Amino acid sequence: MASAFFSGARVAVRGGGDLASGVIARLHRAGFPAIVLELPAPLLVRRAVSFGDAVYEGVRTVEGLVARRVTIEGVEAALAAGEI
């Protein structure tokens, strides 16, 4: 779990491809709220294991972790729900 030193911190990751999704999952499991910044139409090689696929599908679940496409107004609500 993230220490009190990092309370209130947000981690922004540019891109949600398959490799970045592994990093995002690890950060999330360590207790860091992760926000994925993605292109409007990302080129994803392995969509089934990429959080970036939420851009196309609206929601993507990878290894039990849910990533949801939201606008800036919906970020806090998604993070409060434990989503990426």
Side-chain angles (χ1 to χ4, degrees):
M1 212 53 185
S3 71
F5 181 74
F6 295 109
S7 67
R10 303 286 188 264
V11 177
V13 179
R14 290 181 63 183
D18 57 332
L19 293 176
S21 293
V23 172
I24 295 161
R26 182 64 185 108
L27 286 167
H28 183 79
R29 289 187 179 117
F32 292 95
I35 301 166
V36 181
L37 307 175
E38 191 54 89
L39 297 170
L43 299 174
L44 303 168
V45 176
R46 296 175 22 168
R47 286 180 59 176
V49 293
S50 300
F51 290 129
D53 190 45
V55 170
Y56 296 110
E57 301 297 326
V59 89
R60 168 57 69 192
T61 302
V62 177
E63 294 185 8
L65 300 176
V66 176
R68 183 174 308 279
R69 180 185 65 218
V70 296
T71 60
I72 192 72
E73 293 83 15
V75 170
E76 290 302 321
L79 292 176
E83 298 174 339
I84 298 170

